[in-house]
Amino acid sequence: MRKGMVGLVTVLFCGALLCGGCAKKDMVKAEEATVPPVTTEKPAVTPPAKPAPSETVKEQPIQEAPTTTAESTVKEQAPTVIAATELEKVLFDFDSFVLSPAARDTLSKNAQWLEKNKQVKVQIEGHCDERGSDEYNLALGEKRAKSAVNYLVTLGIPASQLSVISFGKEKPADPGHDEAAWAQNRRAEFVILK
């Protein structure tokens, strides 16, 4: 009797599996099954038509549209970068973010200026020379900028007044490919944000 029950349960189980598998195939409609392919190609841009040589093109005066309140709030939120002529850049040795005595003297002068101008926010940009990978130089540039920030904080400048960004080797001060150019590119620069 036990063997009969086990056999009956087995047959019922197999029958349920077969019936369940067949019913699912008909539930999907043919229209729903097709998904349009996703393309990542950009549409072709046709250049503007050139005027015929005999035609003359009259220039129209450009009129600026008045800015709306939504546009003006966006402009107010983005920080404006101003060249910091009062703040001096700091130079670093090859493959290093350690501050030299000359760099510490420069940072002390910058700290005095920042102490007098407490309302000013300053972004410290870390830069590297062209040697090394992009990833390595971005990390090294960040370490250089943070090294300058940490020293300024020890001199009493609030960390909230300072921010850090790394450009790695993307913005060389000197485009040359020799040691003199590389020495100028290993730096931390100060940019005033308004």
Side-chain angles (χ1 to χ4, degrees):
M1 171 104 173
R2 195 171 221 188
K3 288 184 181 182
M5 288 297 275
V6 172
L8 181 61
V9 170
T10 306
V11 169
L12 288 175
F13 182 71
C14 291
L17 283 177
L18 288 174
C19 290
C22 294
K24 289 182 182 176
K25 291 181 183 176
D26 296 330
M27 293 180 76
V28 178
K29 294 181 182 177
E31 296 171 3
E32 294 175 350
T34 58
V35 177
V38 178
T39 59
T40 57
E41 297 179 15
K42 295 181 181 178
V45 178
T46 56
K50 294 181 181 178
S54 61
E55 296 179 19
T56 58
V57 178
K58 295 181 182 178
E59 293 184 17
Q60 298 292 327
I62 298 174
Q63 297 177 351
E64 289 189 19
T67 57
T68 62
T69 56
E71 290 174 349
S72 62
T73 56
V74 171
K75 289 180 183 177
E76 291 170 5
Q77 292 173 355
T80 305
V81 177
I82 300 173
T85 55
E86 296 88 0
L87 299 172
E88 297 179 38
K89 66 182 175 182
V90 176
L91 299 178
F92 291 88
D93 291 330
F94 173 70
D95 198 25
S96 175
F97 58 94
V98 176
L99 296 170
S100 66
R104 290 173 190 235
D105 291 342
T106 301
L107 287 173
S108 296
K109 292 176 191 173
N110 289 351
Q112 291 172 358
W113 187 89
L114 289 168
E115 185 66 34
K116 293 176 187 174
N117 298 284
K118 291 184 180 190
Q119 77 285 359
V120 173
K121 301 259 187 212
V122 174
Q123 179 173 281
I124 301 176
E125 301 175 342
H127 298 273
C128 301
D129 61 35
E130 65 186 347
R131 298 173 288 180
S133 69
D134 291 340
E135 295 84 13
Y136 180 80
N137 283 330
L138 283 172
L140 181 58
E142 184 175 358
K143 289 177 183 177
R144 288 175 174 168
K146 284 183 177 179
S147 178
V149 166
N150 292 338
Y151 190 74
L152 288 170
V153 169
T154 62
L155 296 175
I157 304 302
S160 61
Q161 193 175 355
L162 307 169
S163 64
V164 170
I165 190 168
S166 175
F167 288 106
K169 59 183 176 181
E170 298 303 316
K171 293 187 174 186
D174 187 333
H177 303 288
D178 58 359
E179 186 55 45
W182 294 333
Q184 292 301 309
N185 293 335
R186 298 187 301 258
R187 68 199 189 280
E189 288 191 1
F190 297 80
V191 176
I192 299 172
L193 304 175
K194 273 213 170 174

